Amino acid sequence: MTYYKEVKILDNGEHLVLLSESDFCLEPAYFKKGIAPSPDIKLRTYVIDMLKSASGLLPRGYGFKIFDGYRILDTQKKLFDGLYNYYREHHPAWSEEVLWEKTEMFVAVPRHDKKNPSPHNTGGAVDLTIIDENGRDIDMGGPFDDFSERMSAFTFHFDGKNEEFHNNRMLLKRVMEETGFANFENEWWHYSYGDQMWAFQKGEDCAI
């Protein structure tokens, strides 16, 4: 996940804002796991507006469930260390270099460098899924942030394998990308706007 690190950042001074349950179904996943200190989910102002626009493109009665947005560095470190230790336990033959590389495929290294923050520390990255008219998650073929079945986390994992799961993931991808988000294709649930990863994928000169 190091390919985007050279993208410059233009700080636009945009504020972080709490998401409202009147707009989205909120399920603060990392607070429930005891990893984040607060159940609050925050995103940048414009990113929230984009999410509202994207939800309007969903089938009638459908909406978004938001798992995570802005992260403090301590939460980011706990997530990185947790996956790193999981791999170390289950793959004792892997070298330190391989362990680090495999972990960074899915969780960005927590960085204090303002010129190279991890995506969720910018307030521009969001983890989400789609809920139907009855408030139930539509089936994506694998749960959010599942460390045990990591290959199924890839956005296109079910292409040519399971039509229902693939179509559901493509629905999320379509409405998010039509609104301007970019998908981190190692994780079907991760989308961002304005961060370095987004800028790299969109061919932009700088992140905002």
Side-chain angles (χ1 to χ4, degrees):
M1 265 173 58
T2 60
Y3 54 86
Y4 58 85
K5 288 183 178 179
E6 301 304 317
V7 177
K8 295 180 180 179
I9 297 175
L10 176 63
D11 189 346
N12 64 1
E14 194 173 357
H15 294 291
L16 289 171
V17 176
L18 280 173
L19 271 66
S20 170
E21 291 185 345
S22 63
D23 296 314
F24 311 104
C25 174
L26 305 181
E27 186 174 302
Y30 298 129
F31 175 75
K32 290 185 174 182
K33 292 179 180 181
I35 298 172
S38 170
D40 294 341
I41 300 178
K42 299 178 181 180
L43 289 168
R44 299 202 330 265
T45 308
Y46 190 65
V47 176
I48 294 176
D49 290 340
M50 291 173 64
L51 274 178
K52 292 177 182 179
S53 296
S55 67
L57 300 176
L58 292 170
R60 182 181 296 274
Y62 282 38
F64 287 142
K65 175 184 285 185
I66 312 296
F67 298 113
D68 192 34
Y70 167 75
R71 289 179 197 157
I72 60 173
L73 283 169
D74 182 65
T75 299
Q76 188 69 28
K77 184 178 187 305
K78 288 178 180 177
L79 289 170
F80 185 90
D81 291 348
L83 183 55
Y84 179 91
N85 291 332
Y86 172 86
Y87 282 145
R88 184 169 60 180
E89 178 183 352
H90 289 80
H91 302 279
W94 286 2
S95 67
E96 291 294 313
E97 182 179 359
V98 171
L99 285 168
W100 190 274
E101 178 184 343
K102 294 292 187 180
T103 304
E104 199 175 5
M105 283 181 63
F106 301 105
V107 183
V109 177
R111 305 182 185 94
H112 291 271
D113 184 2
K114 292 183 179 181
K115 295 181 180 179
N116 188 219
S118 53
H120 275 282
N121 297 137
T122 70
V126 59
D127 294 335
L128 77 169
T129 191
I130 297 172
I131 55 175
D132 63 19
E133 64 272 17
N134 296 310
R136 297 175 299 198
D137 296 8
I138 67 171
D139 199 337
M140 297 292 187
F144 162 69
D145 226 19
D146 182 8
F147 289 171
S148 63
E149 298 291 342
R150 275 318 225 170
M151 287 303 295
S152 69
F154 285 83
T155 303
F156 289 96
H157 177 74
F158 289 106
D159 189 10
K161 300 175 183 177
N162 184 296
E163 185 176 6
E164 177 190 1
F165 299 159
H166 180 67
N167 287 346
N168 286 345
R169 292 184 181 198
M170 291 305 101
L171 171 61
L172 178 60
K173 186 173 169 60
R174 177 180 63 79
V175 300
M176 293 296 282
E177 290 185 343
E178 283 188 16
T179 318
F181 287 95
N183 174 230
F184 174 45
E185 294 185 351
N186 286 8
E187 299 174 349
W188 61 260
W189 55 80
H190 179 110
Y191 287 82
S192 67
Y193 174 80
D195 61 10
Q196 288 171 304
M197 187 184 296
W198 168 87
F200 183 89
Q201 290 184 244
K202 296 293 187 179
E204 299 288 342
D205 293 332
C206 65
I208 43 174

